Amino acid sequence: NQDKKKLGIALVGLGGYSTYQLAPALQDTEHCYLAGVVTGTPEKEKIWVNKYNIPKENIYNYDNFDSIKDNKAIDIVYVVLPNSMHADFSIRAARAGKHVICEKPMAMNVEECDAIIDACKKAGVKLGMGYRLHSEPYTQEVKRFVREKTFGNIRYISADAGYYSGSSPGQWRLNRKLSGGGALVNMGVYAIQSLIYGTGENPISVSAQEFSTRPAYFKETDETITAQFQFDSGAFGTIMTSHNVNANRLHAKCERGWFELDPASTYIPLAGRTSNGGLNFKQESQQKLQMDDFAMHILFDAPNLAPGEMGKRDMMIVEAIYKSISEDGKKQA
Ligand code: NDP
């Protein structure tokens, strides 16, 4: 539904993820390319212009960002900012008539997720989440096991997603006003996602606990959270997410055997095994696949593999987990 062969993407926020993953991936994408950037750091402008040959008129800052509406070279705005800025910039991008990719976690709360979804609907633009795993072959194989009941019904599923966060107290991820939470919103969303695509169901109830070994470092944000879920089918599941533990896996016990990804949500390479044997897929940049899938959704009406509603659903679960902790999961020091 567009004349262009390749859609122009503008990355908003030139931090670690844009610099080391998204921009390099956009050099290999088939249906989209790096057309512009939005940055609050003037020194980065020159670096990006030189490195990626970005025309000066496709460079914006946070103040003049809204004038991107007049720039025909930009079709998609990809919001890669601290979590507290996702809603504002996604909504402004939609109002500028641009399609939106919003990084995870979608926003600070469910209300903000609704506001993003509404703004995109009103503007008639597409909205996708930065959930790169949906474009990735190991994850797609897990979804196939679930869809085709390769191992029968899922009885129990567990997922861990965490890393040890050691020595940078100034980072925004430790600042609740910018992050909206700790390990749960940063890494826990991957474990929540694993449980859902690993069962093919949304959970119907949750009970959660929070643990802290370094309260002086994690003053405002959760360090480790465990949560147990029930599903309508009778399946149940657990997650562990942490800024204190290196862990990254999905494991499902089924009626007839089991399947596992370990790691399950790192960039590359993922790995997997099942009770029928090992899995072995070609490793490609997940970000390349993800951005091409979103561009194909816009260009050719291909499915939106990670729509805004999915980001909102995960935020509802995040809120339920925090609610459970505040109600009965007193912090274990
Ligand atoms: P970084 O801290 O590396 O970069 C964030 C960038 O945001 C900064 O470099 C800066 O860019 C801009 N920014 C604007 N205001 C602020 C502020 N007040 N404090 C800090 N930075 C600010 O973060 P990441 O790149 O790691 O993460 C960005 C987003 O991407 C997060 O939402 C995160 O959850 C998500 N992410 C997703 C991943 C995935 O696999 N899907 C992996 C990693 C992150 P500038 O100087 O250009 O203004």
Side-chain angles (χ1 to χ4, degrees):
N1 57 358
Q2 302 227 353
D3 305 334
K4 289 191 185 178
K5 274 207 180 121
K6 275 193 166 195
L7 300 179
I9 294 196
L11 297 175
V12 189
L14 305 180
Y17 196 53
S18 288
T19 304
Y20 301 112
Q21 301 299 330
L22 297 176
L26 281 165
Q27 307 314 300
D28 296 328
T29 36
E30 286 167 41
H31 301 286
C32 52
Y33 72 102
L34 179 60
V37 293
V38 185
T39 178
T41 309
E43 306 85 74
K44 290 183 186 171
E45 294 184 8
K46 208 172 152 200
I47 298 170
W48 282 68
V49 166
N50 289 340
K51 187 157 187 200
Y52 292 113
N53 209 12
I54 297 169
K56 286 241 162 59
E57 67 270 19
N58 293 356
I59 297 186
Y60 294 85
N61 57 48
Y62 302 132
D63 297 325
N64 68 15
F65 170 68
D66 302 293
S67 63
I68 206 165
K69 72 175 191 309
D70 302 318
N71 192 333
K72 294 210 163 27
I74 312 294
D75 303 287
I76 300 169
V77 164
Y78 195 155
V79 179
V80 203
L81 291 161
N83 309 338
S84 62
M85 299 169 79
H86 289 185
D88 184 25
F89 279 83
S90 297
I91 291 167
R92 285 165 69 182
R95 287 185 182 153
K98 306 300 179 189
H99 303 291
V100 180
I101 307 177
C102 177
E103 257 314 324
K104 44 61 51 177
M106 187 170 183
M108 300 291 270
N109 49 51
V110 173
E111 214 181 324
E112 283 191 355
C113 297
D114 275 328
I116 299 173
I117 292 169
D118 286 352
C120 290
K121 278 203 180 121
K122 264 196 197 112
V125 298
K126 311 281 194 192
L127 169 62
M129 291 295 302
Y131 286 144
R132 55 191 156 73
L133 294 166
H134 291 270
S135 299
E136 183 281 328
Y138 286 86
T139 308
Q140 289 177 340
E141 183 70 346
V142 162
K143 288 187 188 177
R144 190 181 69 80
F145 293 156
V146 172
R147 207 171 47 241
E148 296 180 1
K149 292 194 193 287
T150 312
F151 301 93
N153 291 318
I154 316 298
R155 295 248 160 96
Y156 170 66
I157 183 156
S158 65
D160 303 331
Y163 62 84
Y164 180 76
S165 164
S167 57
S168 48
Q171 61 174 303
W172 64 262
R173 283 186 172 84
L174 295 173
N175 178 336
R176 179 168 281 278
K177 280 209 175 96
L178 292 171
S179 63
L184 181 61
V185 299
N186 187 29
M187 296 302 289
V189 289
Y190 290 112
I192 291 168
Q193 284 254 318
S194 284
L195 252 58
I196 294 175
Y197 54 65
T199 56
E201 291 184 84
N202 291 331
I204 53 170
S205 76
V206 65
S207 170
Q209 306 78 34
E210 180 178 354
F211 303 88
S212 175
T213 61
R214 287 181 289 155
Y217 185 65
F218 298 104
K219 280 196 200 77
E220 300 178 11
T221 59
D222 41 284
E223 178 185 319
T224 297
I225 283 177
T226 52
Q228 305 77 45
F229 298 86
Q230 269 187 308
F231 297 87
D232 212 23
S233 63
F236 58 99
T238 66
I239 64 163
M240 188 287 295
T241 184
S242 180
H243 277 163
N244 188 51
V245 183
N246 293 319
N248 199 293
R249 59 181 273 285
L250 170 173
H251 189 101
K253 300 290 187 203
C254 316
E255 268 178 311
R256 299 183 299 276
W258 52 269
F259 57 85
E260 174 177 89
L261 299 185
D262 187 349
S265 61
T266 51
Y267 303 143
I268 46 170
L270 299 193
R273 300 185 304 153
T274 77
S275 46
N276 291 348
L279 302 175
N280 191 8
F281 292 101
K282 187 178 157 203
Q283 303 283 349
E284 273 190 281
S285 158
Q286 297 168 7
Q287 291 81 4
K288 167 186 176 280
L289 297 172
Q290 169 215 329
M291 290 186 281
D292 265 342
D293 277 339
F294 187 66
M296 287 195 279
H297 171 54
I298 295 166
L299 289 168
F300 313 122
D301 226 8
N304 187 352
L305 297 182
E309 286 74 11
M310 188 186 271
K312 174 187 165 179
R313 174 203 67 193
D314 296 346
M315 191 52 59
M316 289 169 73
I317 295 169
V318 162
E319 285 190 354
I321 289 172
Y322 282 138
K323 186 162 177 259
S324 167
I325 290 167
S326 72
E327 278 170 3
D328 52 28
K330 286 247 173 302
K331 213 171 185 172
Q332 327 272 310

